Amino acid sequence: MNDVADFIRRLPKAELHLHLEGTIAPATLVELSQRHDREPLTQAEAEALYRFQDFSGFLDAFKAVTNRLVGPADYELAAWRMAQRLAQQGIVHAEVYISVGVIYVWRNHDPECFEPIFAGLEQARVRAQRELGISLYWIFDAVRHFTLEEAARVFRKAIEMRCEYTSIIGIGLGGDERRCGSEPFRELYAEARAAGLRLTNHAGETTPPEAIREALAIGSERIGHALSAVQDSELLEELKVRSTPLELNPTSNVRTGVCASWAEHPLRRYFDLGLLVTLNSDDPAFFGSDLEGEYMLAHTEQGFTRDELRRLASNSIEASFLPEVEKASWTARIESIG
Ligand code: ADE
Ligand code: ZN
């Protein structure tokens, strides 16, 4: 392993934009299929499900994989495998999106369906903390281009369950921004905020800067992707003044075709402007790069030095929803890595 790769691995890092379903490798999908399908998927058939041409194709592929998670044991397996991979990369904390919206739609809105699945996720989370020393928080993600009622179901479930499970830290909106912005969710976001949930939102991934303004206007605390902010210098200034954390996902953006190349991703521009940028992998099993890979690409494609990589790691802790004491402790550890 070269020096920089070793340094990156040793840096304590948080991953803040990661979809559980997007971490499922084809081999795990084959295992799941063997549990459930009369004619289980072959490895080649599983791999074929991960191929896509553009952003819409990616969303279809994501749905095809998500729909093969059936019961609590499947979610537990997926979450445990995810935690193992995170720990191997020197990730000490992750805030993980769960596509709760897809779960409800796929199961005919059965109000009983989610709690057992969540129990499976929690088993994996507790085991990951105990055996791997990694902390996980859950973010309940709704699909923005489904109906408002679907999103309400997801967010109200988060509100209801948060009383019992403090690991449920927030809510988010994924899906196709070209079909639905943020404004329709204003009241639901306010309701979630009042209940103590933190607010994230995918914005400006496939849409112009106005989508990011709209996400900010409904109270989103962190912005996922924020790719198009680069087109709007006033918005960049606003993001800087507010210290809005940005969950950037360069390889994801290149692979879905919304950014021409890693080298041209606005990460460097945002970083140099002093924005609170974090690096993330989004859906590593689909895009072929994990968080370590993203840090390495920041180094090779955009010349991030060791100290700049260290800053990305400390940004990830600062932008997390961890308690302040834990943030201070990880930040001190990051500073001490030579
Ligand atoms: N769901 C999973 N990954 C996503 C992405 N990059 N954009 C929107 N929705 C998603
Ligand atoms: Zn995402």
Side-chain angles (χ1 to χ4, degrees):
M1 192 187 282
N2 73 32
D3 282 355
V4 178
D6 180 56
F7 174 74
I8 289 169
R9 182 159 299 177
R10 286 185 295 110
L11 273 178
K13 299 171 288 299
E15 170 128 35
L16 305 179
H17 192 117
L18 180 69
H19 298 263
L20 170 75
E21 303 82 356
T23 69
I24 297 169
T28 302
L29 202 64
V30 169
E31 257 179 88
L32 296 175
S33 176
Q34 284 165 350
R35 290 179 178 182
H36 302 296
D37 296 336
R38 207 141 14 102
E39 277 190 46
L41 291 171
T42 62
Q43 178 72 20
E45 285 165 343
E47 281 168 13
L49 285 175
Y50 291 73
R51 290 192 201 114
F52 54 89
Q53 299 296 332
D54 54 18
F55 185 77
S56 300
F58 159 70
L59 287 181
D60 290 342
F62 181 85
K63 199 167 135 225
V65 170
T66 301
N67 287 345
R68 283 183 162 78
L69 288 166
V70 181
D74 301 339
Y75 277 86
E76 183 181 351
L77 176 72
W80 173 245
R81 294 255 164 95
M82 173 194 75
Q84 286 177 306
R85 274 298 303 136
L86 295 177
Q88 283 163 3
Q89 299 173 69
I91 293 166
V92 296
H93 174 69
E95 301 183 352
V96 181
Y97 290 107
I98 309 294
S99 287
V100 181
V102 176
I103 295 174
Y104 276 117
V105 169
W106 198 241
R107 289 165 187 75
N108 292 323
H109 310 300
D110 171 8
E112 309 295 313
C113 75
F114 187 67
E115 273 82 351
I117 286 174
F118 189 74
L121 292 171
E122 278 289 280
Q123 294 257 1
R125 183 188 68 76
V126 170
R127 183 176 175 201
Q129 181 75 67
R130 192 179 59 231
E131 294 182 24
L132 307 171
I134 175 171
S135 57
L136 299 177
Y137 284 165
W138 308 117
I139 300 175
F140 284 17
D141 207 29
V143 182
R144 66 189 335 126
H145 61 266
F146 291 176
T147 62
L148 205 54
E149 291 72 50
E150 300 290 358
R153 203 172 266 124
V154 172
F155 298 159
R156 293 196 176 128
K157 182 55 77 176
I159 292 171
E160 174 197 320
M161 293 182 74
R162 162 131 184 104
C163 306
E164 192 175 343
Y165 299 100
T166 52
S167 58
I168 301 171
I169 199 71
I171 58 162
L173 280 165
D176 197 338
E177 288 182 75
R178 297 166 302 184
R179 292 166 65 186
C180 185
S182 292
E183 194 55 48
F185 304 96
R186 178 184 284 276
E187 278 164 30
L188 289 175
Y189 263 45
E191 198 181 313
R193 179 81 201 129
L197 289 162
R198 311 299 300 266
L199 310 179
T200 71
N201 199 344
H202 289 64
E205 179 183 18
T206 51
T207 47
E210 290 68 41
I212 300 171
R213 293 182 183 281
E214 204 177 305
L216 293 172
I218 68 159
S220 310
E221 296 175 77
R222 281 197 326 227
I223 303 292
H225 295 280
L227 186 64
S228 61
V230 72
Q231 302 163 19
D232 183 336
S233 49
E234 268 177 40
L235 176 59
L236 289 172
E237 185 58 27
E238 186 176 345
L239 292 168
K240 182 175 176 177
V241 170
R242 289 175 176 240
S243 296
T244 304
L246 305 181
E247 308 159 0
L248 305 185
N249 307 280
T251 292
S252 161
N253 296 152
V254 173
R255 292 294 314 281
T256 60
V258 294
C259 179
S261 69
W262 221 106
E264 288 163 80
H265 190 278
L267 164 69
R268 169 52 87 183
R269 176 92 196 279
Y270 294 174
F271 183 89
D272 288 348
L273 284 170
L275 304 191
L276 184 45
V277 288
T278 67
L279 262 186
N280 304 279
S281 67
D282 202 9
D283 301 284
F286 289 82
F287 302 136
S289 175
D290 55 14
L291 190 63
E292 276 186 319
E294 294 301 276
Y295 274 68
M296 184 52 93
L297 286 162
H299 174 64
T300 57
E301 299 295 309
Q302 296 197 350
F304 274 70
T305 64
R306 282 180 177 231
D307 274 342
E308 289 173 334
L309 294 172
R310 189 196 307 279
R311 170 53 79 92
L312 289 174
S314 57
N315 281 359
S316 73
I317 297 294
E318 186 183 343
S320 77
F321 297 137
L322 282 168
E324 292 303 322
V325 283
E326 284 185 46
K327 288 189 186 183
S329 147
W330 284 124
T331 304
R333 282 275 296 280
I334 291 167
E335 290 308 318
S336 75
I337 301 293

